[in-house]
Amino acid sequence: MSKSNRRTFLLDFEKPLCELESRIEQIRELATENQVDVSDQIQHLEEKAVQLRKEIFSTLTPAQRLQLARHPRRPSTLDYIQAMSEEWFELHGDRAGDDDPALVGGIARLNGRPVMMLGHQKGRDTKDNVARNFGMASPSGYRKAMRLMEHANHFRMPICTFIDTPGAWAGVEAEKTGQGEAIAYNLRQMFSLDVPILCTVIGEGGSGGALGIGVGDRILMLEHAVYTVATPEACAAILWKDSGKSEQACEALKITAWDLKDLGILDQILSEPVRGAHADPITAANFLKEALISNLDELMQLSPQQRKEQRYQKFRNIGKFTDLAANGQLQLPSENETNGKSYHHIEEETSSSHFLSY
């Protein structure tokens, strides 16, 4: 990315680094104009910039990683597909009368192997974002995705999905046309597909909109991407009635790749260029391509039945349940405090006395 573009989309935590790099550039220009040798000073400042860059990007908070995941110049699904594949032919339509531009897909050739690639597609500017509905897919988008995946399954092509959405479109029209049903159908059907499925979170993975194409044999995630049950702003508005507490929500939601790896949700964290994927999209695409090829080579060694069984067990094992009452960690209310109802009566009404850690 050029220096002018970098400054245009500069994030708050990048300002000290940008100022230091500007000083280095100014000193270099002045030295050239005045024919003065300042190579030692420039080398010292460049070493300082390298160290500062490492410090900033190795200690990012969850809220700062969310900023990177939402960066306007972050590579999109189509960017990665075009950079990784030798051939690409986009397919359109859900065969029910609509074609959602917020979710794209088609046949590609990855390292000589035919694959089906599909994912959420955000826009590059305001006009494009409006056309793409900011990457928030409608029911027709998820039905198109399922049509393409069933096509891939029929012709024995592996499937690669790319997740990058704040969530499924929550408009009235989406509800009228069956948003929940479309996502639920995808969840069920993806478990039954015979071919390998790789799902990669490349930016912002939000809510059911992400899960609608997120059931796979392997779940990969770029290191500055996020994956969450709801946007931090929505979570803060629900829990604290204040969307301004989104930073607090970022911490509580465990949205980073390392949090999700610790929780057993992710299989692999993929490295990005030091400043993020938007700083060097080609390198980021190469990292992703290597990971996809490696994982596909491993999955192709398994039989369809083995893949489906592992896929099922993988998602069954996500989430740890603890009976706090049985462990003595939960103080049960007295019958007076529950209007005479026993704890077991309350348990039956609520269907569960368990708490889910994620």
Side-chain angles (χ1 to χ4, degrees):
M1 182 186 297
S2 68
K3 289 185 173 66
S4 60
N5 279 339
R6 186 182 298 165
R7 293 192 184 97
T8 301
F9 298 104
L10 189 66
L11 301 175
D12 290 341
F13 59 84
E14 293 181 294
K15 288 180 180 177
L17 178 60
C18 188
E19 290 171 1
L20 180 55
E21 289 174 339
S22 294
R23 281 176 53 200
I24 294 172
E25 192 63 31
Q26 289 170 4
I27 292 171
R28 185 177 282 113
E29 289 175 359
L30 287 172
T32 301
E33 290 175 6
N34 299 307
Q35 297 182 346
V36 179
D37 182 12
V38 291
S39 55
D40 290 341
Q41 293 90 326
I42 289 177
Q43 183 179 354
H44 173 71
L45 289 173
E46 286 178 338
E47 290 173 356
K48 187 177 178 180
V50 169
Q51 184 61 32
L52 180 59
R53 191 179 300 118
K54 288 181 179 178
E55 289 176 2
I56 290 173
F57 286 89
S58 64
T59 58
L60 294 174
T61 66
Q64 289 170 335
R65 291 192 189 279
L66 179 62
Q67 285 183 281
L68 281 174
R70 291 174 172 174
H71 197 285
R73 294 298 175 189
R74 191 169 178 85
S76 66
T77 292
L78 288 176
D79 292 329
Y80 281 119
I81 289 175
Q82 290 165 1
M84 293 187 300
S85 59
E86 294 94 55
E87 294 180 66
W88 159 248
F89 186 83
E90 186 173 355
L91 300 174
H92 296 273
D94 64 352
R95 296 301 183 267
D98 205 356
D99 179 34
D100 185 4
L103 207 154
V104 299
I107 301 171
R109 193 176 295 277
L110 181 67
N111 197 34
R113 175 187 287 140
V115 297
M116 183 66 74
M117 292 186 172
L118 57 102
H120 303 101
Q121 180 63 33
K122 292 180 177 178
R124 222 4 121 220
D125 52 33
T126 302
K127 183 179 179 181
D128 195 19
N129 259 320
V130 170
R132 299 278 185 184
N133 201 28
F134 297 86
M136 297 184 290
S138 66
S140 68
Y142 291 103
R143 291 176 182 132
K144 175 170 70 172
M146 196 66 245
R147 181 181 76 82
L148 299 186
M149 287 188 276
E150 288 174 342
H151 180 88
N153 193 58
H154 179 79
F155 290 101
R156 300 180 183 178
M157 290 185 289
I159 298 167
C160 298
T161 75
F162 304 104
I163 297 167
D164 186 18
T165 180
W169 182 36
V172 173
E173 191 63 29
E175 295 303 314
K176 285 182 179 179
T177 52
Q179 185 71 284
E181 181 273 340
I183 292 173
Y185 183 81
N186 281 21
L187 295 177
R188 185 186 71 182
Q189 291 302 105
M190 289 182 80
F191 279 106
S192 69
L193 299 179
D194 293 327
V195 296
I197 306 174
L198 293 178
C199 304
T200 307
V201 185
I202 60 172
E204 185 178 10
S207 193
L211 288 176
I213 57 170
V215 176
D217 303 296
R218 303 277 170 84
I219 309 298
L220 316 179
M221 187 168 171
L222 296 181
E223 64 174 310
H224 296 317
V226 298
Y227 201 15
T228 174
V229 68
T231 63
E233 293 84 358
C235 174
I238 293 169
L239 294 183
W240 298 291
K241 312 299 181 189
D242 181 5
S243 60
K245 292 186 177 180
S246 60
E247 285 194 26
Q248 187 175 342
C250 285
E251 296 283 349
L253 284 168
K254 306 296 182 185
I255 65 176
T256 71
W258 285 270
D259 289 328
L260 296 165
K261 189 75 164 63
D262 290 342
L263 289 167
I265 294 169
L266 289 189
D267 294 294
Q268 187 177 351
I269 300 173
L270 308 183
S271 298
E272 294 187 32
V274 176
R275 283 187 122 126
H278 62 279
D280 190 351
I282 298 301
T283 298
N286 288 335
F287 289 156
L288 177 54
K289 182 177 181 179
E290 289 173 9
L292 294 178
I293 291 170
S294 174
N295 280 279
L296 281 178
D297 287 343
E298 292 176 16
L299 291 170
M300 292 297 286
Q301 303 303 313
L302 304 176
S303 69
Q305 191 57 42
Q306 287 175 318
R307 284 194 293 265
K308 287 192 287 187
E309 179 61 25
Q310 288 186 13
R311 194 182 306 156
Y312 173 79
Q313 292 300 333
K314 171 182 174 56
F315 280 84
R316 288 293 294 174
N317 291 330
I318 289 177
K320 304 295 182 182
F321 291 84
T322 303
D323 192 330
L324 299 184
N327 293 338
Q329 299 175 30
L330 180 65
Q331 185 65 42
L332 300 180
S334 66
E335 290 195 11
N336 289 335
E337 294 173 311
T338 59
N339 297 323
K341 296 179 181 179
S342 68
Y343 168 70
H344 294 293
H345 187 188
I346 295 171
E347 179 183 14
E348 290 171 2
E349 287 185 348
T350 57
S351 302
S352 176
S353 63
H354 296 80
F355 291 80
L356 182 61
S357 66
Y358 179 78

